[in-house]
Amino acid sequence: MAKKRPQTKAQRPQIADGEVPVVGAREPCPCGSGRRYKACHGRAAAHAVTELVQRPFEGLPGEGDWVALRELVPAATAELPLKGGLPEGVPSVTLATVLPMAWPALRRDDGSVLLGLQNDTASGDISRDLADTLQRALTAEPGTPVQGRRAPADGPRLQDLLDPEGAFEPVVHEGFEFWVPDAENATPEVTASLERANAAAIPTVKLQGVDAAYWCETPEKNHLRWVMPYGEEQLLDALARLHAAGRSSLGEGTRLVGSFRAHGLTVPVWDLPSGVSAEDVEKPAAEFAERLTAALASDAPLTADERRARGGLTNRQVTLS
């Protein structure tokens, strides 16, 4: 009986990884492997889109304020300067914490753009999703909202679109009247959304003497939430040194109670008596900033009391994102 000759497959031309085009998930991968795209080069592309970026706002001016507006501040806006200036027909681009109907973005009748920050995003990179929304808003028809979508894995990020030398100066509002230039003529849907948003907004004030610190008022007590740009371990050590020494408060009746983690940064939180206003805490916050700078400069091992203080602070951390 004659032996069967081994069968051979024709060699397909191979494509370099960087040259593989995007095709449908169930189509053969263009690299020539014979596998479906989703099981071959599409796997890496999908991973690139969904992989969580720990510090999505890193490198942007005012990173701490970006985090605060994303997670802590109910109603605020900030003008966004673009690289190369504004396109023709777009008089301004404004970041907003929230937009009516939870729209990701809105191109107003006058051509100006509002970009919403506190929206769910489709990928693990908030910066890339926001950049995709912004690009589509810049070319949308005036008077129309922009819907969300999954941003392309190779699309630009905010760091690619915004002027790195431009200032980021949030303006905190009491309510959401900035949504509409003429509230009396707003649609019933927008009016209802505005009323609901205003009813839920917690009074918030940005401190002027230190960066990215926000006072807020609640029925029982007030708080100061301060987004800090330092590494988490270094900051916790410094806070522990101050806490163990009895120097972590912001004045009589105030107390450092813990911290949030948000987008790669740590946000210490102080409880304040209900009578303490944002103006009252300006000077104590500036003095605390000086004490913190000195504590951050120390590289001495933590004492037993400082280690206990650090353990308490760590146990009272809450992750927001």
Side-chain angles (χ1 to χ4, degrees):
M1 186 173 180
K3 294 182 179 180
K4 292 184 178 179
R5 297 179 61 185
Q7 295 182 353
T8 59
K9 293 184 179 180
Q11 295 293 319
R12 298 189 180 188
Q14 299 296 308
I15 304 176
D17 286 354
E19 301 173 350
V20 177
V22 176
V23 298
R26 295 181 177 275
E27 295 181 39
C29 187
C31 76
S33 66
R35 292 181 291 173
R36 290 179 177 177
Y37 178 70
K38 70 175 184 179
C40 192
H41 281 83
R43 181 179 298 169
H47 180 71
V49 173
T50 58
E51 185 176 10
L52 178 64
V53 175
Q54 297 292 339
R55 288 180 65 177
F57 307 117
E58 185 176 15
L60 292 174
E63 180 187 5
D65 287 310
W66 277 90
V67 172
L69 266 59
R70 167 75 183 185
E71 299 294 342
L72 307 174
V73 181
T77 56
E79 296 300 310
L80 297 181
L82 305 185
K83 286 183 179 179
L86 296 169
E88 184 177 356
V90 181
S92 64
V93 175
T94 303
L95 182 75
T97 48
V98 180
L99 293 180
M101 315 300 291
W103 289 326
L106 172 66
R107 182 90 185 272
R108 281 178 162 164
D109 291 334
D110 66 354
S112 60
V113 168
L114 289 176
L115 178 66
L117 181 58
Q118 294 181 13
N119 291 304
D120 293 334
T121 55
S123 78
D125 187 353
I126 297 171
S127 178
R128 196 179 306 281
D129 287 335
L130 287 170
D132 178 69
T133 301
L134 174 56
Q135 283 191 313
R136 291 184 291 123
L138 292 171
T139 58
E141 288 294 323
T144 60
V146 176
Q147 302 301 325
R149 70 173 189 182
R150 182 183 289 275
D154 59 349
R157 308 178 73 237
L158 287 174
Q159 289 81 347
D160 302 315
L161 302 183
L162 302 184
D163 184 354
E165 303 300 325
F168 186 74
E169 300 176 350
V171 177
V172 178
H173 305 276
E174 294 183 359
F176 296 87
E177 282 72 21
F178 63 85
W179 280 354
V180 286
D182 184 4
E184 294 183 358
N185 294 321
T187 65
E189 293 83 1
V190 171
T191 299
S193 184
L194 178 61
E195 291 175 351
R196 288 193 301 270
N198 281 344
I202 296 174
T204 301
V205 177
K206 185 181 189 303
L207 267 60
Q208 300 302 308
V210 295
D211 292 334
Y214 291 80
W215 169 96
C216 68
E217 180 182 26
T218 63
E220 295 184 357
K221 60 183 65 177
N222 300 342
H223 305 280
L224 183 72
R225 300 178 290 189
W226 191 342
V227 186
M228 295 190 170
Y230 312 108
E232 181 179 2
E233 299 303 316
Q234 179 191 18
L235 177 59
L236 286 174
D237 282 353
L239 291 174
R241 296 181 197 278
L242 295 176
H243 202 59
R247 306 182 69 206
S248 65
S249 76
L250 299 176
E252 184 178 356
T254 71
R255 187 166 65 99
L256 174 64
V257 293
S259 62
F260 298 127
R261 289 192 191 98
H263 306 292
L265 297 182
T266 301
V267 188
V269 178
W270 284 262
D271 278 353
L272 313 172
S274 57
V276 173
S277 68
E279 184 177 357
D280 293 334
V281 83
E282 285 279 6
K283 182 179 179 181
E287 293 172 346
F288 177 84
E290 294 181 358
R291 299 197 298 272
L292 180 63
T293 298
L296 287 166
S298 175
D299 58 0
L302 296 181
T303 66
D305 287 343
E306 290 168 348
R307 289 196 300 272
R308 282 192 291 271
R310 193 185 195 282
L313 291 171
T314 302
N315 291 335
R316 296 193 296 274
Q317 278 190 314
V318 176
T319 300
L320 299 180
S321 58

